[in-house]
Amino acid sequence: MMKLSLGPILWFWSKQTVFDFYGNAADWPVDTIYLGEAVCSRRRELKPDDWFSLARDLSACGKDVVLSTQTLIESEADLRRLRRICDQHEFMVEANDQSALQVAIRNEIPFVTGPSMNVYNVATLKVLAKQGLKGWNLPVELGRETLEQLIRGLNEEGLDLPAEVFGWGFLPLAWSSRCFTARHYNLPKDNCEFRCLQHPDGMEVRSRESQELFRLNGISTLSGSRYDLMREMPDMERMGVSTVRLSPEHQGMDDVVDRFDQVRRGEIPATDPLHLVEAPPCNGYWYGEPGMALVQS
Amino acid sequence: MELVCPAGSLPALKKAVDNGADAVYFGFRDSTNARQFAGLNFNDQRAAEGIEYAHRHGVRVFCAINTYPQPQGWQQWTAAVDRAAALGVDAIILADMGLLEYAANRHSDIPRHLSVQGSATSYEALQFYKDNFDIRRAVLPRVLSLDQVRGVAKHSPVELEVFAFGSLCIMAEGRCYLSSYLTDESPNSKGACSPAKAVRWEETADGALESRLNGVLIDRYSRGEAAGYPTLCKGRFEVEGDVYHAIEEPVSLNTLDLLPELKALGISAVKIEGRQRSPAYIADVARTWRQALDRVDCSSGFSVDPAWQSTLSGLSEGGLTTLGAYHRKWK
């Protein structure tokens, strides 16, 4: 049976909200939980020790815990935080940037690559496998055709590298040095007043024809539609996908996890629509179409 | 500091060489490079002519093979590396780890430069590429402030090249999927951002001009307002009731003012963006930057000639330039 994972929280939530979220997640039918701040260096509601203690608690509840690293590393302070995450041997690390690869390799920590690492071919996976790679996420812009060939190529090489697919949530599409939330409020990034806390699922960007395009989330830009590969779960299972990633949202996440769990167990048809939160669904990337497209199969 | 200029065509390459480039970079006529435009780039014969011309004038030539091959295209990309090697280029600019390893194994004598598409923003990341693929040089993404560039340069195990002038990409390059989200092509996959095939211009009944990308309204210009190419991150969108350039204004990067500092940091080369630009544009930009670099190299102190700035502003998007992320307040 395929595994389900909870990706790192991409939004900025208060410390209490984060603790409450994971307190609930401990009882959800997810196998793997990614913990840590993957987006913005200014988001420090939880200190490294808070994350480590959460990791131990969730691990004690039977979850596989992976520590996620920041996606855009810019400063020496960013590197210090990265080294702190890689200066332990209890948990695997999700490398979201090449700096993390380097530090994890140097410290001989097992690692997986996150969806922002450019893994587009088998040769790249072979390079990383020699260095301690234990699994990998398909970059969000790649679809089933490429994934199928990657898995086949890995099998031909005799490499056991489990593949994870971002299966539900707003897609992380870009990272900038500029903070778009601060920009919206005409605040400098260095004095942003932590306005992201007011937007627990980002700020909608619409075209002037009211089409939902993107969600601004600090320095990152996410998709305006919600990626939803629930119907594609049986297809993924046939292809040999190991894990389906669900990206945390602050409301209704327990329902999302339940539905994906029921689908992977074959208890409900994968075609049942999921009506949860207000955002149009999309699945285009999976089918080699523009990411925002919704392909009716 | 070396002046590295874009060559989208043989005439552009010659203009760059004639006007003071120390090196030029080009790509093949397909999606193996990050500037895939109809009618641009080089087949093998034109590349050979260009390399001969450049070498005869003492100018080095780099070949950009800086997109990310998927399994179905792997042979096309490795063949591009082999072609570049056979042509006798002075360096290959690569981003993909698999391809970097291929080039390091097959053509170890040809220097490898890490493309900006390789997303290396720290000296730890640079060390990764150095340890694994023995890269000689890396191009830094346009997201770092000058202070951050200083931090990277201080510990960098390789030569550094930074962007000096041209289109301003404000996302960490190599990790931006906005274009493939709206269209089916991205810089990583197809070497295209906001591809021309998806662009539509429409005039409305009231005389406004609308630019669309795959049907999505990117911008609407009132009659007489200057209109720009609908690069999706430079459109005007609505956020919580405000319509504005929510991501970035259409401006160009211009770091002329920073040249003495970049030199003091030990930066090896400054890069001009714009393989999609005309030969005349390349000539003007190369000439201006040559003069500036020559002045920075002489000991009598550097000051920016107002004529340079006016030339460069005239060649910029919307006539506007910015220091971009190099200037911390921009962020």
Side-chain angles (χ1 to χ4, degrees):
Chain A
M1 190 166 64
M2 283 195 296
K3 293 181 185 171
L4 293 177
S5 74
L6 272 185
I9 296 170
L10 299 178
W11 321 101
F12 191 29
W13 298 348
S14 72
K15 184 174 177 177
Q16 192 56 50
T17 307
V18 171
F19 275 105
D20 291 347
F21 180 84
Y22 288 118
N24 293 326
D27 296 326
W28 296 344
V30 291
D31 305 277
T32 306
I33 296 183
Y34 292 84
L35 292 178
E37 176 54 52
V39 177
C40 177
S41 60
R42 289 179 52 76
R43 297 179 177 178
R44 293 178 218 157
E45 283 276 297
L46 275 74
K47 306 285 181 281
D49 284 336
D50 295 323
W51 288 115
F52 290 136
S53 122
L54 255 183
R56 289 186 194 107
D57 290 350
L58 288 166
S59 190
C61 294
K63 305 300 183 193
D64 286 329
V65 174
V66 182
L67 301 177
S68 295
T69 68
Q70 193 174 303
T71 305
L72 176 58
I73 301 279
E74 294 179 296
S75 67
E76 196 61 41
D78 292 346
L79 287 175
R80 277 196 294 275
R81 269 188 300 278
L82 169 62
R83 292 185 189 118
R84 184 82 204 275
I85 293 169
C86 296
D87 191 21
Q88 51 81 34
H89 284 84
E90 282 177 83
F91 304 103
M92 197 140 73
V93 164
E94 178 188 56
N96 286 316
D97 148 271
Q98 288 81 343
S99 321
L101 287 180
Q102 178 67 12
V103 177
I105 291 167
R106 189 166 62 220
N107 293 5
E108 298 181 352
I109 312 245
F111 63 92
V112 298
T113 52
S116 61
M117 284 293 303
N118 285 331
V119 171
Y120 280 64
N121 50 64
V122 177
T124 295
L125 286 164
K126 281 172 71 179
V127 168
L128 295 174
K130 280 187 277 183
Q131 310 270 15
L133 181 73
K134 299 297 176 205
W136 57 287
N137 273 267
L138 184 73
V140 296
E141 73 166 357
L142 298 182
R144 79 174 305 287
E145 189 190 339
T146 297
L147 177 60
E148 196 163 37
Q149 296 191 43
L150 287 170
I151 291 175
R152 190 186 308 138
L154 285 174
N155 290 338
E156 284 166 11
E157 296 281 343
L159 285 173
D160 179 25
L161 288 177
E164 180 164 335
V165 174
F166 192 105
W168 195 88
F170 296 100
L171 294 161
L173 296 175
W175 293 261
S176 175
S177 57
R178 169 173 275 175
C179 175
F180 304 106
T181 306
R183 177 175 166 85
H184 177 78
Y185 289 108
N186 287 316
L187 292 168
K189 179 186 176 187
D190 293 337
N191 185 19
C192 66
E193 298 174 5
F194 306 104
R195 294 294 181 100
C196 286
L197 281 170
Q198 298 167 16
H199 302 278
D201 44 15
M203 303 176 82
E204 290 178 25
V205 179
R206 293 166 180 268
S207 75
R208 277 184 279 174
E209 293 173 324
S210 296
Q211 183 177 2
E212 284 153 306
L213 299 180
F214 303 116
R215 286 196 175 218
L216 301 179
N217 171 42
I219 64 144
S220 69
T221 306
L222 287 83
S223 61
S225 298
R226 187 184 287 103
Y227 205 51
D228 182 356
L229 295 186
M230 191 168 72
R231 291 179 313 162
E232 286 71 19
M233 292 265 282
D235 193 18
M236 284 191 237
E237 180 144 38
R238 273 193 301 276
M239 290 167 64
V241 169
S242 162
T243 305
V244 178
R245 171 176 294 210
L246 312 175
S247 191
E249 287 181 26
H250 76 302
Q251 285 178 336
M253 206 57 208
D254 48 346
D255 286 339
V256 175
V257 172
D258 274 345
R259 295 295 290 275
F260 272 82
D261 181 48
Q262 288 173 325
V263 170
R264 73 169 164 163
R265 293 173 189 281
E267 290 170 0
I268 57 167
T271 47
D272 270 18
L274 193 65
H275 294 299
L276 281 171
V277 223
E278 287 174 33
C282 67
N283 60 12
Y285 277 138
W286 183 252
Y287 294 99
E289 300 285 323
M292 66 178 178
L294 180 63
V295 176
Q296 306 283 355
S297 61
Chain B
M1 273 186 297
E2 194 173 77
L3 177 61
V4 182
C5 290
S9 65
L10 189 55
L13 180 147
K14 289 180 174 172
K15 289 290 184 198
V17 169
D18 296 346
N19 286 280
D22 296 300
V24 294
Y25 61 102
F26 77 99
F28 291 119
R29 192 167 274 196
D30 55 29
S31 53
T32 60
N33 77 92
R35 285 288 183 282
Q36 195 203 171
F37 286 91
L40 273 192
N41 298 325
F42 290 71
N43 61 26
D44 288 36
Q45 192 197 326
R46 299 291 264 181
E49 284 175 50
I51 292 166
E52 192 278 324
Y53 186 86
H55 283 174
R56 182 150 39 92
H57 292 82
V59 171
R60 298 195 296 153
V61 181
F62 307 152
C63 181
I65 306 174
N66 56 348
T67 49
Y68 288 86
Q70 296 170 48
Q72 38 298 32
W74 179 251
Q75 271 90 13
Q76 186 190 346
W77 268 255
T78 54
V81 172
D82 296 337
R83 286 160 65 197
L87 283 162
V89 299
D90 299 284
I92 306 180
I93 306 170
L94 297 152
D96 180 69
M97 289 181 209
L99 216 53
L100 275 158
E101 168 138 303
Y102 178 87
N105 287 340
R106 297 292 182 97
H107 308 287
S108 58
D109 53 325
I110 302 176
R112 289 162 295 287
H113 291 184
L114 181 69
S115 168
V116 69
Q117 295 293 113
S119 319
T121 54
S122 78
Y123 57 85
E124 294 282 15
L126 294 173
Q127 193 68 53
F128 172 81
Y129 286 106
K130 171 75 175 163
D131 289 353
N132 286 276
F133 316 111
D134 197 22
I135 59 165
R136 175 176 294 183
R137 177 184 288 188
V139 185
L140 293 182
R142 281 161 275 192
V143 292
L144 299 176
S145 68
L146 197 61
D147 254 356
Q148 291 165 346
V149 172
R150 184 174 295 121
V152 175
K154 195 170 162 196
H155 303 285
S156 175
V158 298
E159 293 177 5
L160 295 179
E161 181 173 314
V162 300
F163 275 92
F165 184 76
S167 284
L168 178 60
C169 199
I170 69 157
M171 303 300 183
E173 290 106 325
R175 259 189 216 131
C176 178
Y177 316 106
L178 294 176
S179 179
S180 63
Y181 181 69
L182 293 193
T183 75
D184 58 349
E185 297 190 352
S186 76
N188 281 7
S189 64
K190 293 282 167 51
C193 173
S194 309
K197 68 164 195 183
V199 172
R200 293 287 176 277
W201 292 97
E202 286 165 11
E203 201 173 328
T204 63
D206 58 358
L209 190 61
E210 292 180 344
S211 61
R212 290 177 185 275
L213 195 66
N214 193 19
V216 173
L217 182 63
I218 301 297
D219 213 337
R220 177 184 290 146
Y221 304 93
S222 49
R223 193 192 294 269
E225 194 181 0
Y229 187 88
T231 305
L232 66 93
C233 60
K234 296 178 178 180
R236 276 179 286 197
F237 304 117
E238 186 238 303
V239 181
E240 307 219 314
D242 293 340
V243 174
Y244 64 111
H245 290 106
I247 301 174
E248 173 60 333
E249 285 94 1
V251 296
S252 291
L253 176 72
N254 180 7
T255 62
L256 214 45
D257 291 322
L258 303 181
L259 269 184
E261 282 162 282
L262 294 173
K263 184 183 158 88
L265 295 182
I267 299 298
S268 300
V270 290
K271 187 182 196 93
I272 308 296
E273 183 276 346
R275 277 182 281 155
Q276 70 282 18
R277 304 290 188 165
S278 70
Y281 171 98
I282 301 298
D284 287 345
V285 175
R287 190 183 319 111
T288 306
W289 279 86
R290 177 77 273 153
Q291 290 168 9
L293 283 166
D294 288 346
R295 188 174 299 180
V296 105
D297 279 336
C298 65
S299 52
S300 56
F302 179 80
S303 62
V304 172
D305 186 330
W308 302 340
Q309 291 292 31
S310 105
T311 302
L312 294 177
S313 292
L315 296 166
S316 299
E317 266 183 85
L320 298 170
T321 65
T322 172
L323 288 173
Y326 290 113
H327 185 48
R328 181 85 200 170
K329 282 185 181 158
W330 173 92
K331 296 185 173 187

